[in-house]
Amino acid sequence: MAGRVNTSPPVVPYSSCDMSSPSPVQIREANAHLVAVHRRVAELEQWLEAAENTVREQAESLIRKDEQLRAATQEIAEAKDKEIHYLHEKLCKSEETIQRFQNIVKEKDAMIGQLQHRCQLLDNICKSRPLLDSMLSHMAEAERLGPVVGMGEPTANTSLTGGESNCSPNRISNHKDFSLSEDDMDDQELDEIVFGTTV
């Protein structure tokens, strides 16, 4: 393993001047020192191995977390793109619906304008109805009276019964001088729908 300490016993250089052998005390001290050194080296090797394992595990954990974060980021990006696409389609449909409703509102406004005009005409007709009823009642009463007794023979211009009278309802309805405009014809048709018959 790299970085390990050499545990071989040190080589004592031979000196020609030191011809005496070490004493037992020195040998025991040397042996105890070597044992302590070996023990310390073993502890350092264990600590180094544990540190390397810790660093390796942390590196592997960081790699796994990085992969998980990349996958989560990719998933979030895909979900965001899908949501944007969905909202864009929904916005387009909403704009189409708004445009369609605007067109419908314009058509309804035009129809309301026409109906308001017709309602005004109907209101005017209703206000004039009593006068028309009164006039028709007087005309019917005049038809029932007949010719005046003692006035001689009725002529074609003065008779109320010889032919149709100028005040007859049939003559009023068929009179050529009483012309209706196109708007009046529309109002008359609308009056027939509302009241069931013409006046």
Side-chain angles (χ1 to χ4, degrees), residues 21-88:
S21 61
S23 63
V25 176
Q26 292 177 345
I27 292 173
R28 285 195 299 271
E29 291 178 354
N31 290 334
H33 179 70
L34 289 175
V35 170
V37 169
H38 280 288
R39 187 182 301 113
R40 181 59 179 167
V41 169
E43 292 176 356
L44 291 174
E45 287 179 351
Q46 291 178 358
W47 178 84
L48 180 61
E49 185 177 359
E52 288 178 351
N53 292 333
T54 302
V55 171
R56 187 182 303 109
E57 291 176 358
Q58 289 179 351
E60 293 175 354
S61 177
L62 290 175
I63 291 173
R64 287 194 300 269
K65 288 182 179 180
D66 183 69
E67 292 176 352
Q68 293 175 357
L69 289 175
R70 288 179 182 272
T73 303
Q74 183 67 25
E75 184 178 356
I76 291 172
E78 292 177 356
K80 180 197 68 175
D81 293 337
K82 290 181 180 179
E83 184 71 15
I84 290 174
H85 181 69
Y86 169 75
L87 292 176
H88 180 71

